[in-house]
Amino acid sequence: MAEKFITELKRTHTCGELTLADEGKQVVLMGWAMRRRDHGGLIFIDLRDRAGLTQVVFNPEHTGGGHEVAHQIRSEYCLALRGLVRRRPEGQDNEKIATGRIEVFVEDFEILNPSKTPPFMLEEWTLVNENTRLRYRYLDIRRPEVFANLLLRHRCTQAARGYLNAQGFLEVETPMLTRSTPEGARDFLVPSRLARGSFYALPQSPQLFKQLLMVGGVERYYQVARCFRDEDLRADRQPEFTQVDLEMSFVDEEDVMGLTEGLVQAIVASAGKEMTLPVPRLTWAQAMNRFGLDAPDLRFGLELTEVADLVGDAEFKLFREAVAKGLMVKAINGKGMAGLSRKDLDDLTSFVAGYGAKGLAWVKIKEGMEWQSPIAKFFSAGHQGRINERLGAAEGDILFFGADAPRVVWESLGRLRLELARRFELTKDKPLTFCWVTDFPLLDYDLEAKRFVAMHHPFTAPKPEDVDLLDSEPLKTRARAYDIVLNGSEIGGGSIRIHRQDLQAKLFDTLKITREEAQNKFGFLLEALTFGAPPHGGLALGFDRLVAILAGEPSIREVIAFPKTQKGACLLTEAPGLVDPGQLLELGLRVERVS
RNA sequence: GGGGGCGUAGCUCAGUUUGGUUAGAGCGCCGGCCUGUCACGCCGGAGGCCGCGAGUUCGAGCCUCGUCGUCCCCGCCA
């Protein structure tokens, strides 16, 4: 049977657009049979394409001999049909779908392709195991809610391009086959056939190339860049992911942050959501002290409060000794959370133990501001009163305390804060909440390697007033770096880069990267900086994360067309897989079992 | 590398606590009936390596050990 519907009768409308205004029109629709209601005589089918659903009606008196064929239509058959748009009979409207006031009375149709019974139903209300969805991802994508995520992502990408184009940026592609560099994540390696025994690395980000583009005078660069990191996966981490990467010359932090705010606002707007500018800012020190994390979720309170000065002379030994040792003592007021049971508190105690806390002291505020707590007896009325006042405690609140090294207090109370918000649904129905975190430390100390490592990356510029600290107190050096955070997720980060060879060399010294090693690994960059490299800086947005949040999805897998599982497998193509021995031979590789 | 959850029909799950007859349900699927349904309805039917492998036991979906897959988290991710 010739496909006359493809060659002669072209599609005139989508299944999502017909309304009463189209009544009486002859239309040609193409799509998939979503659901069949076969009355023996009349047959109703919900025809679905990417735009929506339209009910089509087969009537034996009109489709004649074709009606036998119509009876054969099953789920996911690919159909083409010609028919008349009709107003539905009185009282037969379906308010649930956009096209629910009309139907298409079929006059001619063709089964373009039958379908095996699908492994799962494509209706939105069916729950399907993610394994099954990923193995048949092409069917999953037919589901309107998955397609909607791809559409949203497309709109966000186009909004980003549109905004950056309008700001004078050039989209430039950088190599996917590049060289491995030290520092950072594990590389994905690609063996070279022409240079046996040598390997390319897939880029962790286009960082070095975009800096070279600045040296090249491009001035404003962006790229929707695929990045690769061979690290363990999470709900918000895939081995390959996408950044909206940008870099600008002759700018400072304010320029990049201002530009980024406009960019993110444009993306958010393309998702039909709102974002008010300017985005509030916190320094890294403020973020850590108030929220315990460098990506604070500002949709709710529960801030960390310093109490060391109030408990240093209390009877409670743990706190007194912590203060004496110069450790940190902080508290959170769980507003109205005194209803937590003993079991809840035990759970929360083991929860913070997972982040290194040795315990979790708590105080329930009872009637008359009375403390109910295992540690209440160690605090005088005066101490209790001052702590209540500092934390704004009221009846029905519960106070949590952490006393330890700053890293432990920040981490455990910061995570506790998020856990409480989760349990009490404090983020429900909150608007998108952004913030900047600035003034990150330039360096961190790696206890294992016994050396300083770059917190952001080794090309980040130190604050000019802190440069001298590189020699005296390196850990106090602040970076010209900034992260943008949405709802407690880091969705982007960047910095002003080092653009002078002497400062870059100095930083490599601090990082204990030898001249020889630096020359070997980054020589091309160091050399480039000697040819009048302009001051420059930029930022990259974690695009998958941003789109996932805008889509309201808990995992970035939901906004990636063909995502991988936690073991890095593609269940559809079964990648990664074994290769032909001949391919290995050509590459000069031999695979050996390593114990 | 580590901690935790899950794995039973095509799909979603119950059954596992306390081992005991022929492993169930809803949806889907197949056949029949049905001209106004819209998650159509009614009647009938098929469909199971209880992830896989060992072990304990008279007997294992259920207990033990191992293993594989998947999800969440810690480490890791400049």
Side-chain angles (χ1 to χ4, degrees), chain A residues 84-308:
Chain A
L84 187 69
V85 179
R86 298 200 318 193
R87 176 192 286 269
R88 292 193 182 192
E90 190 71 29
Q92 302 286 335
D93 289 354
N94 182 350
E95 302 299 336
K96 285 186 242 170
I97 60 175
T99 59
R101 304 184 73 180
I102 57 93
E103 61 191 12
V104 172
F105 202 67
V106 178
E107 291 170 353
D108 194 6
F109 77 100
E110 200 168 284
I111 294 174
L112 298 175
N113 205 349
S115 172
K116 292 206 306 188
T117 301
F120 52 90
M121 288 182 286
L122 305 191
E123 274 84 350
E124 32 61 47
W125 46 270
T126 51
L127 295 172
V128 191
N129 185 294
E130 193 168 348
N131 285 5
T132 311
R133 290 177 55 201
L134 292 182
R135 192 151 95 232
Y136 300 95
R137 186 62 161 177
Y138 44 85
L139 295 179
D140 197 31
I141 291 170
R142 283 188 196 169
R143 303 167 77 198
E145 55 279 26
V146 178
F147 179 78
N149 283 348
L150 296 184
L151 178 62
L152 172 71
R153 185 178 177 125
H154 162 77
R155 286 184 176 142
C156 290
T157 310
Q158 297 313 313
R161 285 201 164 101
Y163 180 83
L164 292 168
N165 292 343
Q167 297 290 323
F169 283 74
L170 256 64
E171 183 169 11
V172 181
E173 293 172 90
T174 55
M176 302 290 273
L177 295 176
T178 178
R179 63 172 296 163
S180 180
T181 52
E183 313 269 316
R186 198 175 289 115
D187 285 319
F188 279 101
L189 298 177
V190 179
S192 163
R193 176 180 59 83
L194 297 174
R196 281 192 180 187
S198 294
F199 292 82
Y200 300 99
L202 302 179
Q204 296 179 26
S205 78
Q207 180 61 35
L208 294 171
F209 288 107
K210 68 177 176 177
Q211 290 191 243
L212 295 173
L213 289 171
M214 293 305 102
V215 180
V218 170
E219 298 191 15
R220 292 188 161 209
Y221 140 91
Y222 80 93
Q223 182 177 194
V224 180
R226 193 68 61 86
C227 305
F228 304 86
R229 294 179 190 176
D230 187 8
E231 298 292 346
D232 286 356
L233 282 71
R234 288 283 191 284
D236 62 352
R237 275 162 36 187
Q238 286 269 304
E240 53 181 309
F241 61 100
T242 301
Q243 291 183 343
V244 174
D245 188 47
L246 62 91
E247 194 78 5
M248 313 160 73
S249 292
F250 313 117
V251 294
D252 64 9
E253 294 88 326
E254 295 301 323
D255 298 310
V256 180
M257 291 164 81
L259 182 285
T260 301
E261 291 185 2
L263 169 62
V264 174
Q265 189 181 47
I267 293 170
V268 167
S270 76
K273 297 194 181 328
E274 289 190 4
M275 172 182 182
T276 50
L277 300 186
V279 171
R281 298 182 185 191
L282 296 166
T283 65
W284 180 83
Q286 288 170 334
M288 299 307 287
N289 279 315
R290 290 174 55 192
F291 305 100
L293 302 169
D294 61 8
D297 191 335
L298 302 188
R299 286 176 295 179
F300 56 94
L302 296 178
E303 289 193 27
L304 280 57
T305 305
E306 184 65 48
V307 292

Side-chain angles (χ1 to χ4, degrees), chain A residues 183 284 407 438-445 451-464 466-471 473-482 494-498 503-504 506-508 510-511:
Chain A
E183 313 269 316
W284 180 83
R407 289 217 167 272
T438 65
D439 294 13
F440 281 80
L442 184 70
L443 303 169
D444 205 355
Y445 191 74
R451 67 181 186 89
F452 295 108
V453 292
M455 198 153 174
H456 188 50
H457 57 56
F459 319 106
T460 299
K463 293 207 149 208
D466 287 3
V467 168
D468 291 340
L469 291 170
L470 276 175
D471 298 315
E473 296 179 278
L475 287 177
K476 290 199 172 165
T477 315
R478 288 168 303 167
R480 300 180 70 181
Y482 32 82
S495 63
I496 301 300
R497 326 297 182 184
I498 296 169
L503 184 57
Q504 186 66 69
K506 181 180 175 63
L507 202 74
F508 284 150
T510 309
L511 295 173

